[in-house]
Amino acid sequence: MTTVYRKSAGLQDRELHYCPGCSHGIIHKLVAECMEELGVIDTAILVCPVGCSVFAGNYFACDTIEAIHGRAPAVATAIKRTHQDQLVVTYQGDGDLASIGAAEIVHAAMRGEKFTTVFINNAIYGMTGGQMAPTTLLGQHATTAPQGRQKELHGSPIRMAEMLSTLDGLAYAERVCVADIPHLNKAKKAIKKAFELQLSGVGFTFVEVLSACPTNWGMTPLEANKWLLENMAAYYPLGVIKEVQGT
Amino acid sequence: MAKELWKGNEAIAEAAVRAGCKCFFGYPITPQNEIPEYMSMRLPQVGGVFVQSESELAAINMVYGASASGVRAMTSSSSPGVSLKQEGISALSSGELPAVVVNVMRGGPGLGTIQPSQCDYFQATRGGGNGDYRTIVLAPCNIQEAVDMTQEAFDLADIYRMPVMILADGMIGQMMEPIEWHPIPKREVPPKDWAASGRRGRAHSNFITSLRIDAPDCERFNRALEQKYKTIAEKETRWEEKDAEGCEILITAYGTPSRIALSAVEELEAKGVKAGLFRPQTVWPFPSARLAELAAQPSVMAVLVVEMSLGQMLEDVQLAVQGVKPVRFHGRVGGMVPSVEDIAEQAGMILREVR
């Protein structure tokens, strides 16, 4: 019998709790496959956030530390500085990273901490039930912005990859999405590249993944992926945002 | 061993290094700045890590990261900064992670003053952050004791897998005293097989979390914490007494006021007053049983609590004494320090009143 597909050894054999159509499951798989391909499952340390992926430690096969809201980059700073030869990754959502943890991510990038952040941007607070995020698009409805996000009231959505790229400590930033197979393949390449760059010690590496949250967007999974490509990818340009020469 | 003259904050930092502290994360705030300054110079000499964090929140969460991955770590701050750290102290307690946190207390509330105070007693001894937790709180009264306690704190944190706080005041942080670097008895600490430091061949992955979303699980965990805290209360409660047996007035104080109170006791004794001193060295767990026993002596007419606060340890003393004897209070606040004369005068007045 030929094996045509198998679950990555980077994941435990557990049923995921994520909603149908949620991108977390796919992104978990990509992160796990990259760890497996680089042979670092046995040494990697993953820092997971508050939000829907708070349970990531139940799914990944590597050692995992759950940080409280927004503090994953501070937690990872200490881990990487004391475990310099090991892969250290933070996995954070948009409320966690761009709102309550804005200071921690900015200063980790400023210091050029040599870990990787996988930033899940689905433009909404998922676990708490659809409140407005700093990345919620203008006009997008949220339970705390029932009339839709308005520039005058809430400001414009924050582009984290671009903002962090202004800092010298950031070596590599790319924005990807997982709405279809071609994009998913690019996303995996970006994550793997970030991990490889981290292990070569060049500086802070950042991959922003535009993600779907059909439950809180009030859409079917297919509608959500279409909306993501048409609206989110239009505001948050896909591709390499910064790559330091020589990396 | 020869005595050396050390400033309190620097002595605490050096004591931590000698105790095997590998990481320090901190943010500037007066009157504790000499601790991060000393660590920024000293830790690189011993292969350790120093990071000046962007905030107190980041500092305590860096401690969380180091600790969760199995490394001895410490942070220090002063009152307003320790308030910010409560988020992480609660998370460390819930993740059952060892850590040493130093609070060189200053007057509050709010930004208050940079002068010494004991106004964070409630915060230190009642958990301080969200949730039903405690931290072991060691309260040194001089620099020698601050040095000894800091070294012991790392072992205590590892043994019980929880944050241990050194509750000093600005006076202890800022003054200089002669100390001795005598060896501290090392305690047996369990291996950190729980740490998320990379599997490296371990059959299972370790997952450090403070989340227990199912209520029965969360209750079980809280009950386990309760048991741990009971064990600590039984095994780690410490205090010191001076002429407390057979005294008429039992003065109770910790930290800087306790050494001033000691002078007051000596002054009262010189005048023929039977005065005694009870000095908690751990303020959590609080030495309630011994204090109750002393207060219940037929000779004791009143208990006088002296603090640099409006009366916080006072409540623990009242809980211990249970109304068996009158409990009175003398406190100075806002950075002011009680004097020997004031304490002696208060004691005399109370004795005249209750006789």
Side-chain angles (χ1 to χ4, degrees), chain B residues 290-313:
Chain B
R290 179 57 180 161
L291 180 58
E293 199 173 75
L294 289 171
Q297 298 176 100
S299 65
V300 172
M301 303 180 77
V303 177
L304 170 60
V305 181
V306 181
E307 292 179 68
M308 294 193 290
S309 82
L310 289 174
Q312 298 193 17
M313 184 178 75

Side-chain angles (χ1 to χ4, degrees), chain B residues 7 12 16 40 45 55 58 82 93 97 99 115 121 147 155 157 166 177 222 239 242 268 309 319 348 351:
Chain B
K7 185 169 189 170
I12 287 170
S40 71
Q45 294 175 352
S55 68
V82 175
S93 301
L97 298 174
Q115 302 301 324
Y121 181 94
V147 158
D155 281 356
I166 307 292
E177 279 188 319
N222 273 268
W239 67 91
K242 158 87 169 150
L268 287 162
S309 82
L319 283 168
L351 279 177

Side-chain angles (χ1 to χ4, degrees), chain A:
Chain A
M1 208 161 56
T2 321
T3 304
V4 291
Y5 179 83
R6 66 170 183 82
K7 194 174 201 171
S8 168
L11 291 173
Q12 299 181 37
D13 197 14
R14 286 229 176 110
E15 198 177 321
L16 302 178
H17 73 286
Y18 300 114
C19 302
C22 168
S23 306
H24 272 309
I26 298 167
I27 304 164
H28 278 22
K29 174 188 126 109
L30 300 183
V31 169
E33 285 177 354
C34 292
M35 285 182 183
E36 184 180 6
E37 288 168 22
L38 294 170
V40 296
I41 296 166
D42 208 38
T43 50
I45 304 171
L46 180 76
V47 184
C48 57
V50 164
C52 293
S53 47
V54 72
F55 298 109
N58 291 329
Y59 306 136
F60 281 90
C62 63
D63 276 1
T64 310
I65 295 167
E66 186 222 308
I68 42 177
H69 44 231
R71 316 295 176 227
V75 171
T77 292
I79 300 167
K80 185 68 185 189
R81 293 238 187 165
T82 52
H83 300 79
Q84 292 179 21
D85 57 341
Q86 291 172 247
L87 186 83
V88 177
V89 179
T90 77
Y91 185 104
Q92 301 178 257
D94 44 52
D96 187 85
L97 180 141
S99 189
I100 197 165
E104 284 76 12
I105 193 69
V106 167
H107 284 267
M110 182 200 78
R111 292 188 301 263
E113 298 294 346
K114 296 176 180 62
F115 63 83
T116 301
T117 292
V118 179
F119 171 41
I120 315 304
N121 179 2
N122 60 13
I124 203 97
Y125 279 77
M127 196 181 217
T128 46
Q131 294 81 13
M132 185 181 67
T135 50
T136 296
L137 295 182
L138 290 176
Q140 187 185 344
H141 290 256
T143 57
T144 48
Q147 294 83 20
R149 180 171 184 159
Q150 297 167 49
K151 190 177 177 181
E152 301 71 31
L153 272 181
H154 312 111
S156 293
I158 191 164
R159 294 184 183 94
M160 287 305 296
E162 285 83 348
M163 191 180 105
L164 295 174
S165 291
T166 64
L167 299 164
D168 290 349
L170 183 143
Y172 169 67
E174 181 164 351
R175 186 179 288 115
V176 296
C177 79
V178 289
D180 55 33
I181 299 300
H183 283 109
L184 187 149
N185 288 334
K186 280 188 191 166
K188 183 174 169 182
K189 277 186 190 144
I191 293 168
K192 195 167 174 184
K193 181 171 182 180
F195 288 0
E196 285 169 338
L197 288 171
Q198 177 193 155
L199 292 170
S200 70
V202 293
F204 179 63
T205 47
F206 185 83
V207 179
E208 177 171 341
V209 188
L210 301 183
S211 311
C213 181
T215 299
N216 287 302
W217 291 357
M219 296 177 195
T220 67
L222 285 177
E223 287 167 355
N225 278 340
K226 188 165 177 282
W227 189 85
L228 186 154
L229 287 171
E230 287 173 1
N231 298 278
M232 286 189 69
Y235 185 83
Y236 298 110
L238 299 173
V240 175
I241 311 295
K242 181 182 178 185
E243 188 172 354
V244 171
Q245 291 304 308
T247 60

Side-chain angles (χ1 to χ4, degrees), chain B residues 8 22 35 37 39-40 56 86 100 117 128 133 152 166 193 201 210 233 237 254 260 270 277 297 307 319 338 343:
Chain B
K22 288 283 174 252
I35 301 178
E37 285 167 356
M39 286 302 208
S40 71
E56 299 296 359
Q86 294 302 329
V100 174
S117 170
Y133 73 90
E152 290 174 64
I166 307 292
D193 51 6
S210 65
T237 307
Y254 73 99
I260 302 166
L277 177 68
Q297 298 176 100
E307 292 179 68
L319 283 168
I343 297 170

Side-chain angles (χ1 to χ4, degrees), chain A residues 42 61 63 66 71 86, chain B residues 64 87 199-200 206 208-209:
Chain A
D42 208 38
D63 276 1
E66 186 222 308
R71 316 295 176 227
Q86 291 172 247
Chain B
Y64 182 97
E87 166 190 288
R199 289 173 63 167
R200 298 190 183 282
N206 281 341
I208 303 288
T209 182

